[in-house]
Amino acid sequence: MSGVTLEKAIKRYGDVQVIHGVDLQIEEGEFCVFVGPSGCGKSTLLRMIAGLEETTDGTIKIGARDVTRVDPAERGVAMVFQTYALYPHMTVRENMGFGLKMNGVPADTIKEKVAEASRILKLDEYLDRKPAALSGGQRQRVAIGRTIVRGPEVFLFDEPLSNLDAELRVDMRVEIARLHNEIGATMIYVTHDQVEAMTLADKIVILRAGHIEQVGKPMDLYNDPDNKFVGGFIGSPPMNFLTGTVKVGAVHVPSLGQSINVPVTLPSDGTEVFVGLRPEHLSLTSDGTLNVTHAEALGGIGYAYLMSDQGEKLVVENREDPGIQAGATRGVSFDPARAYLFDAKTEARIR
Ligand code: ADP
Ligand code: MG
């Protein structure tokens, strides 16, 4: 088992640079998730670690070993893709053992390793079936089984659940967490889904446009985002942002018609800021001038969608007002210590 280290890793396709000098330390045995919007470079970075994309500049280490120019097959990594191409004419057992067979591994060793992977993935009763007779989730488990039998030092997953339906994705998410607990290997997992990132990761790496925006434990990113992008990316529904201006030791927020005493070191008067408010930290009040444009009831909780006279939108997690309807007028209350401030120009957090 080994950790993974990236030092100033750069990827260019011709003149276009898509990964801009990434420094990152992934610890041995850690479950690390790369998350970010489509096109931000998650797959590219993963494929650079796998050796499937050449690293233009910088260094990639697996354990203490510099693998930057090492052949993919020699890196001790195994990758699971979104589209899992199983051999249709082979059974589950044969699919899982095929890579080892091609590498000349003795038959009894293959048998042992396939049995072990099958036990971990709960595939025992399907070993003699062909892929056509499996569900999507079972097929994906076979694809994961193919990597387990190789005993890699590092597992790489590129959006492995994206082709599954919503319910199955939740099941498989739990399975992958269990897999990590059981085999304890270093795993790097790419997803654009922040819920998957929050629920699976020991460490989340938030990427945007080929840069790391922030690295941290899920709840640290949720509680303490470094910038507006991270604040808005982690959390569902996303954080609300209202414009405000620093004025005599407080933040004036036109949409709320009030000044807020946020307990941070405020910049100078006149500085424009975004006030970040999470839906779950807001409560509806009866006195206010926000227009309810839409309301959703989900059973236990609901969401109210509000619009200020200034045209700014606000989503509120609604526990107290289940009968609320579009057309109503409400205010919001919240603990000012839970308001996040971001500089309007740099989008950096003001702490
Ligand atoms: P993600 O996995 O986060 O959706 P990718 O890593 O696939 O993003 O892509 C990152 C960026 O690199 C994108 O802007 C994409 O267009 C670009 N890119 C990916 N592959 C190539 C390629 N072979 N040639 C040129 N640009 C590419
Ligand atoms: Mg991708």
Side-chain angles (χ1 to χ4, degrees), residues 39 42-44 82 158-159 190:
K42 305 179 293 294
S43 295
T44 302
Q82 179 178 342
D158 193 353
E159 310 231 14
V190 161

Side-chain angles (χ1 to χ4, degrees), residues 111-126:
K111 198 174 164 194
E112 235 168 69
K113 290 193 185 289
V114 169
E116 170 71 359
S118 165
R119 182 188 64 73
I120 293 171
L121 293 164
K122 300 197 174 96
L123 285 169
D124 287 352
E125 56 186 297
Y126 309 107

Side-chain angles (χ1 to χ4, degrees), residues 288-300:
T289 60
L290 298 164
N291 298 303
V292 178
T293 56
H294 181 60
E296 293 171 343
L298 305 179

